[in-house]
């Protein structure tokens, strides 16, 4: 009964692997959620808001406290001037903001330039809008892209360029030089940009530069972020989109028929978190960097080829050296029974007929890559490493 355009997206690898983790009692390093809650102070703000009766529909734009907090955040962190009246929209997580942007701005047959590997919801959002992804490959070990390939992806049907930086699943932070090329192509082809910046405060190496800060981009960019990843409250699903009023109005027109609005108490709590001082917010990234180093160092000792991420919750490994002949999906399906650990095969983040070959196995790109979530307690990461030692 499912519409043809959605048939490739009947289930997600995250649901499949999380169910496998539950069925086998495995440690879940697949889905990207922390195993501890964020600041107790933010929980207190949410519960006090519930007790005070802030439980009915908030304004569709978002509660004023969060709208104003987003405005202040964009100004203080990036020097971006955003009007609270019509240039901010609160959404049910960043995923809804991306979906609403595609639905609002794309006509059937339009093309969207995006990088692969890419988060799986992007292709689904494009399909719902009737748009076609134009994929540009990121190449390990530094996840660079071919400038000529990027230029070739832009054409007469290009409507949007979707940029995810810091990038999931690779952990790449796009450099200013790379962003400049993207910006120049958007301006030259009169293309709009949508940016997914949910890991903006979880950068370990390098600096996050919003695309909207580059010349010519503020007037054509929708910047999307959320509080779930930064503050370790992924289940609250509070995101936002900022940008020119005409673009935000279009997204709002689509969003009002999706969720209309999002939970008011959680919005108030995220507003409280965004108001924290820069040193407080920086600590979230510093704590996660220590987890990255613990886990990545352990994987290297076990013989994995590790592509150490510059940001995000995730590390990518090439399993060819420790599991010769196995593709990533086969490895991840076997891993829970053999080691009691769950991970995600990075092959699910590729599409469009990969042609680049692995130097080790001669397989299509991504077929020997595995993504691991290290946003877990140290004892869980150490336990996972001990279990993975039994693979051989």
């Amino acid at each position: 009964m499912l519409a043809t355009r959605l048939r490739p997206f009947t289930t997600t690898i995250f649901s499949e692997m999380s169910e496998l983790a539950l069925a086998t009692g495995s440690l879940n390093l697949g889905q990207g959620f922390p195993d501890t809650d964020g600041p107790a102070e933010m929980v207190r703000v949410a519960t006090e808001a519930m007790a005070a009766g802030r439980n009915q529909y908030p304004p569709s734009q978002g509660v004023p406290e969060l709208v104003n907090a987003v405005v202040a955040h964009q100004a203080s962190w990036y020097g971006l001037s955003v009007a609270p009246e019509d240039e901010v929209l609160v959404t049910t997580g960043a995923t809804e903001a991306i979906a609403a942007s595609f639905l609002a701005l794309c006509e059937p047959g339009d093309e969207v330039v995006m990088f692969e590997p890419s988060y799986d919801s992007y292709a689904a959002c494009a399909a719902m809008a009737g748009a076609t992804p134009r994929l540009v490959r990121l190449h390990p070990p530094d996840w660079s892209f071919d400038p000529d390939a990027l230029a070739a992806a832009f054409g007469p049907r290009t409507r949007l360029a979707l940029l995810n930086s810091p990038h999931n699943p690779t952990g790449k932070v796009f450099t200013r030089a790379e962003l400049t090329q993207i910006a120049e192509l958007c301006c030259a082809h009169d293309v709009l940009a949508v940016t997914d910046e949910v890991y903006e405060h979880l950068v370990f190496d390098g600096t996050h530069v919003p695309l909207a800060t580059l010349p010519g981009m503020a007037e054509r960019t929708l910047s999307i972020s959320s509080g779930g990843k930064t503050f370790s409250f992924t289940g609250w699903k509070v995101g936002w989109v900022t940008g020119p009023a005409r673009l935000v109005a279009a997204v709002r027109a689509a969003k009002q028929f999706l969720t209309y609005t999002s939970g008011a108490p959680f919005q108030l709590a995220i507003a409280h978190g965004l108001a924290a001082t820069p040193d407080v917010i920086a600590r979230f990234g510093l704590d996660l960097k220590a987890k990255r180093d613990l886990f990545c160092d352990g994987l290297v000792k076990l013989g994995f080829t590790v592509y150490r991420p510059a940001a995000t919750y995730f590390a990518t490994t090439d399993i060819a050296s420790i599991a010769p002949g196995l593709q990533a999906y086969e490895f991840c399906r076997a891993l829970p029974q053999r080691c009691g650990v769950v991970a995600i095969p990075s092959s699910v983040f590729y599409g469009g007929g990969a042609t680049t070959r692995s130097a080790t196995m001669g397989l299509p790109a991504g077929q020997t890559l595995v993504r691991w979530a290290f946003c877990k307690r140290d004892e869980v990461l150490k336990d996972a490493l001990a279990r993975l030692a039994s693979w051989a």
Side-chain angles (χ1 to χ4, degrees):
M1 295 300 294
L2 187 63
T4 303
R5 67 184 181 279
L6 289 179
R7 288 178 188 171
F9 310 104
T10 53
T11 187
T12 73
I13 191 67
F14 307 105
S15 296
E16 179 183 349
M17 291 302 173
S18 291
E19 290 168 6
L20 193 57
L22 288 173
T24 59
S26 297
L27 301 177
N28 190 350
L29 303 189
Q31 198 162 7
F33 60 84
D35 57 1
T36 56
D37 285 341
E41 179 72 7
M42 293 176 65
V43 175
R44 182 188 63 77
V45 171
T47 55
E48 287 183 354
M50 294 178 195
R54 298 289 295 268
N55 300 303
Q56 307 308 322
Y57 288 133
S60 62
Q61 182 192 10
V63 299
E65 293 90 339
L66 180 54
V67 169
N68 291 327
V70 170
V71 169
H73 173 273
Q74 296 299 88
S76 62
W77 282 90
Y78 308 123
L80 288 169
S81 178
V82 178
E85 301 83 17
D86 54 9
E87 295 185 336
V88 182
L89 176 65
V90 175
T91 59
T92 304
T95 303
E96 186 197 34
I98 294 164
S101 297
F102 276 52
L103 292 169
L105 300 174
C106 290
E107 299 284 359
D110 283 348
E111 294 179 349
V112 180
V113 175
M114 61 180 76
F115 292 94
E116 70 166 354
S118 63
Y119 186 60
D120 67 340
S121 75
Y122 299 161
C125 289
M128 285 189 283
T132 301
R134 289 294 302 273
L135 301 171
V136 179
R137 178 71 49 78
L138 298 174
H139 303 281
D142 60 351
W143 303 108
S144 59
F145 61 86
D146 179 352
D148 292 335
L150 178 63
F154 283 76
R157 302 275 324 163
T158 306
R159 175 61 169 166
L160 298 177
L162 174 62
L163 174 68
N164 174 209
S165 183
H167 184 263
N168 174 15
T170 68
K172 174 186 176 65
V173 178
F174 283 72
T175 66
R176 184 174 288 275
E178 292 171 328
L179 295 171
T180 297
Q181 185 191 0
I182 297 167
E184 289 175 347
L185 286 166
C186 287
C187 293
H189 291 269
D190 193 22
V191 167
L192 302 174
V194 175
T195 63
D196 179 352
E197 305 175 38
V198 297
Y199 296 100
E200 60 185 323
H201 292 301
L202 302 178
V203 176
F204 322 129
D205 305 312
T207 303
H208 171 59
V209 179
L211 188 65
T213 63
L214 272 65
M217 293 308 294
E219 60 266 31
R220 67 176 66 248
T221 301
L222 286 167
S223 302
I224 293 170
S225 193
S226 73
K229 299 297 194 299
T230 297
F231 302 115
S232 296
F233 289 117
T234 58
W236 287 5
K237 297 295 291 180
V238 176
W240 52 86
V241 55
T242 64
R246 72 188 193 285
L247 298 182
V248 172
V251 177
R252 186 173 180 176
K255 184 253 191 305
Q256 67 184 337
F257 296 111
L258 297 175
T259 60
Y260 178 67
T261 190
S262 305
F266 299 135
Q267 291 189 44
L268 293 164
I270 295 296
H272 181 85
L274 282 181
T277 58
D279 62 306
V280 170
I281 291 179
R283 281 205 293 270
F284 295 107
L286 291 173
D287 291 345
L288 200 59
K289 180 180 180 180
K291 295 179 183 297
R292 175 202 69 172
D293 292 342
L294 184 160
F295 191 60
C296 287
D297 290 348
L299 290 173
V300 169
K301 291 177 181 177
L302 293 175
F304 287 85
T305 299
V306 179
Y307 303 124
R308 191 176 296 255
T312 77
Y313 281 179
F314 310 107
T316 298
T317 61
D318 193 321
I319 63 164
S321 58
I322 64 138
L326 278 187
Q327 296 191 21
Y329 185 79
E330 297 168 330
F331 174 85
C332 290
R333 288 291 302 180
L335 198 59
Q337 294 290 351
R338 290 184 60 170
C339 299
V341 179
V342 162
I344 297 293
S346 294
S347 51
V348 301
F349 302 119
Y350 288 82
T355 57
T356 300
R357 299 283 165 172
S358 165
T360 52
M361 294 301 297
L363 295 170
Q367 293 301 309
T368 60
L369 300 181
V370 172
R371 193 196 77 170
W372 311 82
F374 54 82
C375 51
K376 312 294 180 179
R377 288 168 291 137
D378 287 0
E379 55 266 36
V380 172
L381 297 176
K382 292 175 182 177
D383 188 5
L385 291 168
R387 296 183 185 202
L388 289 171
S390 69
W391 173 265

